[in-house]
Amino acid sequence: MLSWFTALSLMPVADATAVSLIGPVFVALLAMFFLKEHVGPVRWLGIALAIIGGLIVVRPGFNEVSSGVWLVLFSAIAVSNSKIVAKILTRTEGAATIVAYLTLLMTPITLIPALFVWQNPTLEQLGWMAVIGICGTTGHLLFVQAYKMADISLVEPAMFTRMVWAAIIGYVVFFEFPEFWTWIGAGVIVVGTTLLARREARSEPRVVSPVSSTVNPTVGD
């Protein structure tokens, strides 16, 4: 998170979001090695289409690899590792417990670097940070529960749809109308994730049910 927020101060949000799309590739690779998950050709196709869509959205700006890009890549690798740990913990812990531990551990760890640049926030800033906290916690609860119900390499490509939501929110909140290539890229992302979801739903019906032979649904609830 520290790397991600620092990167946002060094490069446009759209560029940072596009670079972060490489994250699910790291997750899929880690899932193969540590979780022994099978990543078939359909999943790779979905990941590839989503990455291509993201590059179409922000096609300019990739001529030079800036420090912001490296920070986003480091953030993607770190987040991928944390998601693998979260997937492992879902075998014995509930989603709320995992997110609670995450929040409790992050607070003292991030306090240390924050002390060097601390500024007292205004009431308005506190309000917006509260919104970030609510949205972030809700998002964590949802994707941890998703990891408990399905293979991590299947769930992760759905995160690519954040490019679509970013375009919609940017238009509604900031009056930024996405350009032609943004819609083309978003369309490719939707095609990739939809193809992946429909194919996996037919080939792996066990994903639909949260009850699995490898998960004890009574533990941690």
Side-chain angles (χ1 to χ4, degrees):
M1 290 185 67
L2 288 170
S3 298
W4 171 254
F5 284 117
T6 304
L8 290 180
S9 67
L10 300 174
M11 62 188 301
V13 176
D15 287 0
T17 303
V19 176
S20 71
L21 292 176
I22 197 67
V25 175
F26 297 131
V27 172
L29 293 174
L30 291 170
M32 282 193 297
F33 287 105
F34 294 104
L35 302 180
K36 307 303 180 183
E37 290 187 3
H38 174 69
V39 182
V42 175
R43 291 185 182 182
W44 284 119
L45 176 60
I47 290 174
L49 285 175
I51 292 176
I52 293 171
L55 293 177
I56 292 175
V57 172
V58 290
R59 65 198 186 284
F62 282 85
N63 294 327
E64 179 182 355
V65 181
S66 65
S67 57
V69 172
W70 290 114
L71 284 170
V72 174
L73 289 174
F74 176 79
S75 174
I77 295 173
V79 169
S80 299
N81 280 276
S82 71
K83 289 179 177 180
I84 295 296
V85 174
K87 174 63 176 179
I88 295 174
L89 288 175
T90 58
R91 298 171 181 172
T92 57
E93 304 293 338
T97 303
I98 296 173
V99 175
Y101 281 137
L102 171 66
T103 303
L104 290 174
L105 288 172
M106 270 202 314
T107 301
I109 292 174
T110 55
L111 174 62
I112 297 174
L115 291 176
F116 294 96
V117 293
W118 184 266
Q119 294 182 13
N120 292 328
T122 64
L123 289 177
E124 180 182 356
Q125 290 171 336
L126 286 173
W128 284 115
M129 283 189 284
V131 172
I132 294 175
I134 293 172
C135 293
T137 302
T138 302
H140 274 92
L141 286 169
L142 291 174
F143 77 65
V144 170
Q145 184 61 31
Y147 292 163
K148 192 169 185 175
M149 298 171 65
D151 283 353
I152 194 171
S153 52
L154 169 60
V155 173
E156 190 62 20
M159 297 292 185
F160 287 127
T161 56
R162 66 181 178 268
M163 291 295 298
V164 180
W165 293 112
I168 295 174
I169 293 173
Y171 175 70
V172 174
V173 178
F174 303 108
F175 303 102
E176 298 174 349
F177 188 78
E179 62 178 10
F180 172 77
W181 288 107
T182 300
W183 293 113
I184 296 298
V188 175
I189 294 172
V190 171
V191 169
T193 53
T194 301
L195 173 65
L196 178 67
R198 289 177 61 87
R199 176 65 179 86
E200 294 293 345
R202 291 195 298 267
S203 62
E204 298 185 29
R206 65 180 179 84
V207 172
V208 178
S209 174
V211 179
S212 171
S213 59
T214 60
V215 177
N216 183 354
T218 63
V219 178
D221 289 345

